[in-house]
Amino acid sequence: SFTSSTYADTDIAVTITPSSSTSKILIMCPLCTQCYATNSTSLGIRLQRGSSTIYSNNEYMWHSVNAAINLHYQTYFSHLDSPATTSAITYKIQGARVRTSNGTQQAKINSVTGQVSKMIVQEIMA
């Protein structure tokens, strides 16, 4: 659950060690997301390699309605990375509640018991 526009780590992370420095890494992320607000809000997502942001979307999931609404979605994004290393790499997801307005706002990942968000990585030999 994210309550501010400051990005915070989630527990969605994976480490991979490429076998070649010319390999690419395909990162696939099926996420269970929620946005609730009495006005408008958004869930921002960042994909990080170590401490570097390699994908960012401040309005990954959002609603902009002047009424209370609760949106739950199974979402997906992927990213092709070229890390140029044979050292172990950790990829992780960060989240934030970015768009703010008056009223109650929530932005969450895995907001319902039993929902599971994932990160799948695959090395692609060049």
Side-chain angles (χ1 to χ4, degrees), residues 1 13 15 19 29 32 46 52 59 61 63 80 84 86 92 103 121 126:
S1 181
T15 300
S19 58
C29 298
C32 302
R46 281 187 185 166
S52 299
E59 292 191 346
M61 183 182 171
H63 97 59
L80 186 62
T86 56
K92 65 182 175 182
V121 296

Side-chain angles (χ1 to χ4, degrees), residues 72-89:
H72 292 265
Y73 287 110
Q74 180 75 17
T75 61
Y76 175 87
F77 78 89
S78 62
H79 181 80
L80 186 62
D81 189 31
S82 301
T85 187
T86 56
S87 297
I89 307 162

Side-chain angles (χ1 to χ4, degrees), residues 1 25 27 69 86 112 115:
S1 181
I25 305 296
I27 304 109
I69 192 165
T86 56
V112 175
Q115 288 184 331

Side-chain angles (χ1 to χ4, degrees), residues 54-117:
I54 59 172
Y55 169 82
S56 183
N57 186 340
N58 285 340
E59 292 191 346
Y60 179 74
M61 183 182 171
W62 65 277
H63 97 59
S64 181
V65 180
N66 239 356
I69 192 165
N70 194 8
L71 304 173
H72 292 265
Y73 287 110
Q74 180 75 17
T75 61
Y76 175 87
F77 78 89
S78 62
H79 181 80
L80 186 62
D81 189 31
S82 301
T85 187
T86 56
S87 297
I89 307 162
T90 298
Y91 293 98
K92 65 182 175 182
I93 297 291
Q94 291 186 322
R97 183 183 49 83
V98 180
R99 182 185 294 204
T100 60
S101 62
N102 296 327
T104 303
Q105 299 142 0
Q106 296 174 356
K108 296 181 179 182
I109 296 176
N110 294 345
S111 57
V112 175
T113 301
Q115 288 184 331
V116 179
S117 294

Side-chain angles (χ1 to χ4, degrees), residues 1-59:
S1 181
F2 308 103
T3 57
S4 79
S5 60
T6 301
Y7 277 86
D9 289 348
T10 67
D11 61 354
I12 305 167
V14 67
T15 300
I16 187 171
T17 304
S19 58
S20 170
S21 62
T22 59
S23 293
K24 297 192 182 305
I25 305 296
L26 178 61
I27 304 109
M28 300 164 281
C29 298
L31 302 176
C32 302
T33 60
Q34 176 203 13
C35 278
Y36 169 79
T38 53
N39 203 322
S40 65
T41 195
S42 67
L43 169 63
I45 292 291
R46 281 187 185 166
L47 173 63
Q48 295 210 287
R49 178 190 343 112
S51 60
S52 299
T53 299
I54 59 172
Y55 169 82
S56 183
N57 186 340
N58 285 340
E59 292 191 346

